[in-house]
């Protein structure tokens, strides 16, 4: 008998392939021409625009929106890509509600921002659909750069370096490139194999070779890369998963990032097992993504449990509301204590004098599957100075080792956002170029 | 990548976008920033003769027409020529031109309609190293009351006379800026040409009252309870300007006279349209005053993209391309028959096309399809007026289908025949008379 949302345990195929496909459709369907023109018309072309300042990659947002308004979305796309070569993915996954759109003067004045993210997607989709690459390479400099990690930071660095005429080799531990774009982003935010298509399109600049299945600390040694290349950029992300030791037994426990990565690679997701009662532990974007996608796969009851209060959640209000709209229950001030036969035992918490403390009360939430989404950490780091738990870098992305730069989630400084990773990769590339040209 | 460089009456600029003589070009500070933003050239705000500076009103100088959402559609002003001392302007012009040799810098001039003041000011401008002069025969307010600006531009004999003086006393290229407040733009253009002008620029602003304050019963902008007519500009005036440019380019006498197109240029497309009608470059003011100097970046990228897509290698290669297609009504093909078609998939059933056609046109749209609300063209009544296309809120929903040669027009019951115009039409008494 096929399973359904009421089937107990952790099982695959709670919904049909068609139902799953329907559930995982584009979160924001693309704008058509008319919608884009109406949306673009709302932009005031502000002076020293707050939106552009809020963008980690400093895209000239008023200009690209005006280029859409005047019927040249391709020119708009060039404006975007000149600052952010992953502008297509960022248009889909950026938390615009806490970046450009939050400070849009129309958000401040009316509570209705210009829909910058969707307009960016309109423009970038148009240019990418043409199948052409908008930039060309400078003449060959004869310099070589190794980029470790084919995620947003590594790709942004590689593209900029290739554009400047350097020969780039990207190494990635996984069998596919894209990093979190390919393995981590919620499926409904980048439908249609967008991450892979964007990678292929980006490589259209030329001058970049990619070697998969090469992991730093395993197949690759940093000292070896330093010998073979004129410069090294590390964009290795946070490959480690923070552990949470819970006593007891009962529900199955998985790491949310691993579960999402497996789901992202599944063809129609009917083979992805999910609980009837799922508890996701964490308060960030990964927790939201795991919780929502559990529901979309047919989990009956999904609870996101976060140990602090709602205001402290890393997931934006928009993400929280999205989770709620998909039927995810968010429980705050719930610190996991132990696994029990029917689920998870939580201690109720509160904040006293800035300290999170248990109140002494406990309660249980039913679960047959528990997903841990309590953060990732640097794994297999080479011999480099750290700042906190990340690779220490200066404002140019330089690490403690001369000739080695780092950016993205693995490096200190900046939020763990795709767009921040792109900015850091791009800026490190400019510094590498300056160093190699000196 | 298309070549956007422009050479207009021998004056080179990296693109054909110049700032028109107006407040944005009134001083060195602005002009430097304009060049940094990417403008190819500027026409410095009009200089008057030496002496006590010009005085402006100290109340509002501008009035505006807005669309929904406060989009500025038309702007009216009662500002006069520069109110800064002549020597200060000249010193600044020299300084800017020295630092931006690749950009066009033309100086607008307006002095009394006598030979001496023109003779006096020209060497001073020449000394700055400016690329040329533009004679302001266009401003319709204030200065016109003193016998300058449009007061000169409305009398072809004066235009010719002053232009001749200026050509006599300077080596610089001379552009004559025309007022649209006349009945036939070809007359002042021809007069400028006879006087030796290297080019004309048009249009200057149009006499206007933008609105009336209904509490004060006074025109806006209101100065202490009263208002004077101003000069109207901005997107609203573009169609008038386009026609005037076309009139000059279609006229055999003035067809070869270079034109600098002015009037509501806001986007790359506006500029391309002026250029297609024969303008060698364009001048912009209101768009910069509304959005700031950075607006030129869109004009540059858009024109460049359009030229690339169309395979147009240079600006010069598209100048005047639409002029041969600008005709008189009597030359239009009366046997060209089209019928409106409503795309039922795209139609949102608002019924605006029906109201327009039923109430004000030809009763050529049905308001029911198979007994339910829906809108469909009745080809037996449709005269192809295009009103439904223009008022439909859904772009591309209503289109015009061209009837093929030999196809029967249901309205007339006649087959579509080859080209024929009014000049040979049987109903035309003049046509009969010619036989």
């Amino acid at each position: 008998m096929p399973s359904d949302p009421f089937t107990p345990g952790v099982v695959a195929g709670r919904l049909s392939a068609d139902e799953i496909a329907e559930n995982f459709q584009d979160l924001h369907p693309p704008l058509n021409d008319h919608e884009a023109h109406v949306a673009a018309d709302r932009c005031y072309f502000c002076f020293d625009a707050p939106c552009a300042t809020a963008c980690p990659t400093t895209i000239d947002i008023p200009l690209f929106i005006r280029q859409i308004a005047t019927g040249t979305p391709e020119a708009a796309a060039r404006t975007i890509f000149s600052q952010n070569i992953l502008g297509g993915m960022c248009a889909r996954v950026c938390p615009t509600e806490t970046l450009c759109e939050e400070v849009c003067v129309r958000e401040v004045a009316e509570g209705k921002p210009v829909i910058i993210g969707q307009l960016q997607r309109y423009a970038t989709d148009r240019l990418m659909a043409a199948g052409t690459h908008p930039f060309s390479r400078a003449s060959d400099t004869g310099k070589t750069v190794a980029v470790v990690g084919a995620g947003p930071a590594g790709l942004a660095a590689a593209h900029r370096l290739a554009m400047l005429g350097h020969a780039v080799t990207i190494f990635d531990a996984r069998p596919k490139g894209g990093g979190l774009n390919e393995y981590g982003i919620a499926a409904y935010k980048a439908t249609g194999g967008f991450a892979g298509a964007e990678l292929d399109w980006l490589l259209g600049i030329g001058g970049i070779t990619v070697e998969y299945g090469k992991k730093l600390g395993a197949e690759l040694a940093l000292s070896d890369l330093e010998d073979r290349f004129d410069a090294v950029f590390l964009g290795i992300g946070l490959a480690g998963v923070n552990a949470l030791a819970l006593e007891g037994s009962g529900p199955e426990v998985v790491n949310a990032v691993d579960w999402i990565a497996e789901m992202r690679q599944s063809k129609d997701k009917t083979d992805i097992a999910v609980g009837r009662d799922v508890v996701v532990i964490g308060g960030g974007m990964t927790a939201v993504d795991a919780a929502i996608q559990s529901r979309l796969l047919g989990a009956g009851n999904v609870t996101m449990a976060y140990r602090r209060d709602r205001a402290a959640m890393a997931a934006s209000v928009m993400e929280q509301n999205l989770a709620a709209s998909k039927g995810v229950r968010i429980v705050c001030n719930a610190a996991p204590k132990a696994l029990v036969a029917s689920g998870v035992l939580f201690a109720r918490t509160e904040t006293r004098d800035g300290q999170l403390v248990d109140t002494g009360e406990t309660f249980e939430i039913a679960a047959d599957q528990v997903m841990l989404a309590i953060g990732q950490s640097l794994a297999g780091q080479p011999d480099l100075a750290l700042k906190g738990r990340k690779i220490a870098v200066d404002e140019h992305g330089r690490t403690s080792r001369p000739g080695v730069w780092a950016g993205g989630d693995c490096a200190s400084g900046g939020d763990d956002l795709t767009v921040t990773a792109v900015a850091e990769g791009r800026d490190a590339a400019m510094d590498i170029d300056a160093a190699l040209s000196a | 990548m298309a070549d956007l460089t422009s050479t207009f009456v021998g004056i080179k600029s990296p693109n054909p976008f110049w700032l028109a003589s107006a407040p944005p070009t009134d001083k060195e500070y602005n002009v430097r920033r304009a060049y940094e933003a990417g403008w190819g050239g500027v026409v410095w705000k009009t200089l008057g003769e030496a002496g006590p500076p010009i005085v402006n009103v100290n109340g509002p100088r501008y009035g505006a027409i807005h669309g929904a959402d406060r989009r500025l559609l038309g702007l009216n002003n009662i500002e006069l020529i520069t109110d800064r001392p002549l020597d200060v302007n000249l010193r600044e012009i020299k300084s800017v031109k020295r630092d931006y040799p690749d950009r066009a810098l033309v100086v607008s001039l307006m002095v009394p309609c006598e030979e001496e003041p023109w003779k006096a000011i020209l060497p001073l401008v020449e000394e700055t190293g400016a690329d040329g002069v533009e004679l302001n025969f266009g401003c319709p307010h204030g200065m016109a009351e003193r016998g300058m600006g449009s007061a000169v531009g409305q009398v072809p004999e004066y235009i010719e006379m002053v232009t001749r003086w200026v050509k006599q006393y300077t080596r610089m290229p001379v552009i004559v800026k025309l007022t649209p407040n006349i009945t036939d733009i070809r007359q002042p253009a021809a007069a400028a040409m006879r006087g030796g002008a290297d080019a004309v620029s048009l249009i200057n602003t149009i006499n206007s009252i933008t609105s009336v304050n209904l509490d004060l019963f006074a025109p806006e902008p209101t100065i202490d309870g009263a208002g004077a007519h101003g000069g109207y500009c901005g997107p609203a005036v573009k169609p008038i300007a386009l026609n005037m440019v076309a009139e000059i380019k279609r006229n055999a006498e003035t067809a070869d006279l270079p034109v600098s197109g002015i009037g509501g240029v806001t986007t790359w497309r506006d500029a391309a349209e002026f250029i297609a009608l024969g303008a060698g470059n364009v001048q912009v003011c209101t768009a910069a005053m509304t959005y700031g100097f950075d607006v030129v970046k869109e004009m540059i990228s858009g024109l460049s993209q359009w030229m690339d897509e169309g395979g147009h290698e240079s600006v010069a290669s598209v100048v005047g391309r639409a002029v041969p297609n600008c005709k008189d009504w009597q030359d239009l093909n009366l046997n060209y028959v089209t019928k409106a078609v409503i795309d039922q998939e795209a139609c949102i059933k608002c019924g605006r096309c029906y109201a327009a056609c039923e109430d004000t046109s030809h009763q050529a749209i049905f308001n029911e399809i198979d007994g339910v609300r829906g809108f469909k063209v009745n080809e037996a009544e449709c005269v192809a007026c295009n009103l439904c296309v223009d008022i439909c809120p859904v772009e591309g929903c209503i289109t015009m289908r061209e009837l093929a040669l030999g196809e029967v027009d249901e309205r007339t019951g006649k087959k579509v025949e080859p080209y024929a115009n009014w000049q040979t039409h049987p109903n035309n008494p003049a046509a009969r008379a010619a036989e």
Side-chain angles (χ1 to χ4, degrees):
Chain A
M1 196 181 117
S3 47
D4 64 27
F6 294 94
T7 309
V10 182
V11 298
R14 290 182 182 275
L15 299 176
S16 70
D18 286 348
E19 287 169 317
I20 291 173
E22 172 78 19
N23 282 353
F24 279 83
Q25 274 182 6
D26 234 332
L27 182 59
H28 298 293
L31 300 176
N32 64 30
D33 291 343
H34 182 71
E35 290 168 329
H37 281 116
V38 172
D41 195 58
R42 295 189 67 236
C43 174
Y44 287 144
F45 201 72
C46 299
F47 170 74
D48 192 16
C51 54
T53 307
C55 174
T57 54
T58 328
I59 292 170
D60 190 341
I61 293 167
L63 177 59
F64 96 67
I65 293 179
R66 192 165 180 82
Q67 288 166 322
I68 290 173
T70 60
T72 53
E74 299 82 2
R78 268 186 285 276
T79 299
I80 295 161
F81 289 134
S82 66
Q83 288 295 104
N84 180 341
I85 196 64
L86 294 176
M89 181 59 83
C90 289
R92 291 163 166 78
V93 305
C94 260
T96 51
E97 67 279 4
T98 61
L99 296 170
C100 52
E101 291 177 17
E102 182 180 41
V103 297
C104 172
V105 299
R106 301 202 74 160
E107 165 65 20
V108 176
E110 307 162 34
K112 292 196 187 81
V114 175
I115 48 172
I116 298 167
Q118 293 183 67
L119 285 167
Q120 179 165 319
R121 174 169 173 188
Y122 172 80
T124 52
D125 278 2
R126 179 67 72 93
L127 190 143
M128 290 171 79
T132 53
H133 194 87
F135 303 110
S136 53
R137 286 191 77 197
S139 53
D140 190 2
T141 61
K143 303 285 187 185
T144 61
V145 184
V147 170
V148 186
L155 291 176
H159 184 273
R160 183 57 63 103
L161 289 163
M163 204 165 93
L164 295 166
H166 308 300
V168 181
T169 305
I170 303 180
F171 301 95
D172 196 279
R174 304 218 201 210
K176 282 187 187 175
L180 288 178
N181 291 354
E182 177 63 42
Y183 291 96
I185 294 300
Y188 48 82
K189 289 182 182 171
T191 56
F194 182 77
E198 184 179 48
L199 172 66
D200 292 343
W201 172 84
L202 180 147
L203 295 176
I205 184 76
I208 303 174
T209 53
V210 192
E211 297 187 20
Y212 294 115
K214 298 281 177 67
K215 187 177 181 181
L216 195 65
E219 294 82 7
L220 294 177
L222 183 56
S223 57
D224 190 38
L225 293 176
E226 287 173 307
D227 290 343
R228 288 168 56 199
F229 294 89
D230 297 308
V232 178
F233 175 82
L234 301 178
I236 56 178
L238 299 173
V241 176
N242 290 347
L244 176 68
L246 291 174
E247 287 178 11
S249 64
E252 175 188 312
V253 179
V254 295
N255 285 319
V257 281
D258 297 337
W259 183 81
I260 291 170
E262 192 187 337
M263 188 201 53
R264 282 293 311 271
Q265 298 307 306
S266 168
K267 191 163 166 287
D268 64 5
K269 302 180 182 63
T270 54
D271 58 337
I272 300 301
V274 67
R276 181 185 65 182
D277 302 305
V278 177
V279 168
V280 180
I281 295 174
M285 301 287 268
T286 304
V288 169
D289 288 353
I292 290 176
Q293 291 176 114
S294 296
R295 280 287 297 158
L296 301 182
L297 285 176
N301 301 299
V302 178
T303 307
M304 239 180 95
Y306 179 53
R307 64 196 181 109
R308 297 179 187 275
D309 61 17
R310 194 172 270 250
M313 282 179 77
S316 69
V317 171
M318 193 283 256
E319 292 287 335
Q320 294 175 36
N321 291 343
L322 181 65
S325 77
K326 301 297 181 190
V328 173
R329 186 166 67 119
I330 300 176
V331 177
C332 293
N333 290 107
K337 288 292 157 193
L339 301 175
V340 294
S342 60
V344 185
L345 178 72
F346 288 92
R348 188 176 163 193
T349 66
E350 63 180 20
T351 304
R352 282 186 210 145
D353 303 327
Q355 295 288 315
L356 189 72
V357 295
D358 288 357
T359 61
E361 279 177 75
T362 60
F363 60 95
E364 284 181 29
I365 299 176
D368 37 36
Q369 188 179 31
V370 176
M371 297 187 183
L372 300 180
I374 54 169
Q376 288 99 258
S377 58
L378 196 60
Q381 70 267 33
D383 183 19
L384 291 166
L386 299 185
K387 183 177 178 190
R389 299 165 65 196
K390 295 188 168 193
I391 298 170
V393 291
D394 68 7
E395 70 270 27
H396 306 291
R398 298 174 193 163
T399 69
S400 56
R401 279 164 87 138
V404 180
W405 283 255
D409 289 358
C410 71
S412 64
D415 298 322
D416 288 352
L417 293 175
T418 308
V419 65
T420 305
V422 171
E424 291 172 359
R426 176 199 69 193
D427 294 347
M430 296 307 293
D431 195 54
I432 292 169
D433 175 66
L436 296 183
S437 309
Chain B
M1 186 73 174
D3 176 12
L4 290 193
T5 58
S6 159
T7 303
F8 186 76
V9 294
I11 304 169
K12 292 187 189 325
S13 57
N15 61 57
F17 302 107
W18 292 10
L19 279 170
S21 166
T25 61
D26 192 28
K27 59 173 93 70
E28 180 174 1
Y29 174 79
N30 300 36
V31 172
R32 283 181 184 273
R33 293 178 66 246
Y35 285 152
E36 291 301 323
W39 291 93
V42 305
V43 182
W44 200 279
K45 184 171 164 80
T46 308
L47 310 185
E49 60 183 341
I54 288 288
V55 173
N56 268 299
V57 294
N58 295 297
R61 297 175 192 186
Y62 303 111
I65 297 290
H66 293 106
D69 209 11
R70 293 281 291 178
R71 175 164 297 269
L72 189 134
L73 302 177
L75 188 69
N76 156 301
N77 86 88
I78 54 168
E79 181 169 300
L80 304 185
I81 62 174
T82 186
D83 53 12
R84 306 168 74 234
L86 178 63
D87 60 329
V88 171
N89 276 308
L90 291 169
R91 194 166 62 237
E92 291 185 1
I93 290 166
K94 189 171 185 175
S95 158
V96 172
K97 184 61 201 178
R98 185 190 59 219
D99 290 350
Y100 293 89
D102 68 319
R103 309 301 174 96
L105 203 171
V106 169
V107 177
S108 175
L109 297 174
M110 183 197 287
V111 295
C113 201
E114 298 156 15
E115 190 169 354
E116 278 311 309
W118 288 100
K119 186 178 174 184
I121 199 166
L122 286 163
L124 303 178
V125 176
E126 212 159 272
E127 199 273 330
T128 64
D131 297 303
V133 291
E134 184 180 81
L135 313 187
N136 181 343
F137 297 158
C139 276
H141 49 267
M143 304 308 286
E145 297 166 19
R146 304 174 202 178
M148 292 181 268
S150 66
V152 178
Q154 287 167 335
V155 184
E157 291 77 9
Y158 291 172
I159 294 174
E160 182 179 344
M161 175 178 75
V162 178
T163 306
R164 186 165 285 129
W165 290 334
V166 172
K167 283 303 287 183
Q168 184 184 338
Y169 294 119
T170 183
R171 297 174 281 101
M172 292 183 287
V174 176
I175 303 167
V176 174
K177 187 165 180 178
L178 303 179
T179 175
N181 301 309
I182 41 79
T183 49
D184 181 353
I185 197 67
R186 294 172 297 187
Q187 304 302 326
M193 204 171 102
R194 284 194 299 274
D198 297 280
V200 289
S201 55
L202 67 153
I203 58 173
N204 203 307
T205 55
I206 302 172
N207 285 338
S208 66
I209 291 173
T210 44
S211 59
V212 174
N213 184 314
L214 292 180
D215 297 319
L216 300 173
F217 287 104
E220 298 276 13
T222 305
I223 308 288
D224 193 22
H229 81 265
Y232 197 45
C233 57
V237 311
K238 188 187 88 171
I240 296 162
L242 285 177
N243 177 58
M244 289 188 167
V245 169
E247 286 287 293
I248 290 170
K249 298 312 283 189
R250 292 180 58 209
N251 180 30
E253 187 184 0
T254 52
D256 295 329
L257 180 64
V259 169
S260 182
I262 312 171
V265 174
T266 311
T267 69
W268 71 267
R269 174 177 281 276
D270 300 327
E273 290 174 8
F274 271 99
I275 291 167
L277 285 176
N281 71 2
V282 293
Q283 295 184 33
V284 178
C285 172
T286 308
M289 291 184 74
T290 310
Y291 302 107
F293 288 145
D294 279 348
V295 77
V296 75
K297 294 183 166 76
E298 178 282 324
M299 297 181 191
I300 291 169
S301 71
L303 186 67
S304 178
Q305 179 175 329
W306 171 72
M307 287 171 62
D308 284 343
E309 287 172 358
H312 309 302
E313 288 180 2
S314 66
V315 174
S317 73
V318 286
V319 172
R321 288 281 288 274
V323 175
N325 293 326
C326 292
K327 305 278 194 194
D328 289 337
W329 191 95
Q330 63 176 358
D331 295 318
L332 300 179
N333 183 4
L334 294 175
N335 287 337
Y336 175 77
V337 183
T338 62
K339 298 286 177 186
V341 182
I342 300 172
D343 178 345
Q344 296 300 327
E345 291 285 307
C347 177
I348 58 172
K349 300 184 173 51
C350 66
R352 272 169 61 163
C353 59
Y354 178 79
C357 192
E358 192 70 10
D359 292 358
T360 71
S361 295
H362 300 84
Q363 296 79 45
I365 294 178
F366 298 117
N367 64 351
E368 278 188 0
I369 301 174
D370 301 330
V372 297
R373 181 181 173 90
F375 302 92
K376 190 180 162 189
V377 173
N378 176 3
E379 293 207 351
E381 297 295 338
C382 178
V383 303
C385 74
N386 212 48
L387 180 63
C388 57
V389 173
D390 290 334
I391 55 91
C392 176
V394 179
E395 194 178 344
C397 174
I398 309 181
T399 50
M400 283 291 172
R401 178 177 73 86
E402 183 180 335
L403 269 58
L405 213 60
E407 193 174 344
V408 174
D409 177 350
E410 280 188 42
R411 186 175 67 87
T412 60
K414 292 179 183 165
K415 287 183 177 179
V416 175
E417 293 185 13
Y419 174 93
N421 63 38
W422 173 245
Q423 296 175 68
T424 56
H425 196 278
N427 292 13
N428 180 354
R432 277 203 296 276
E435 280 168 5

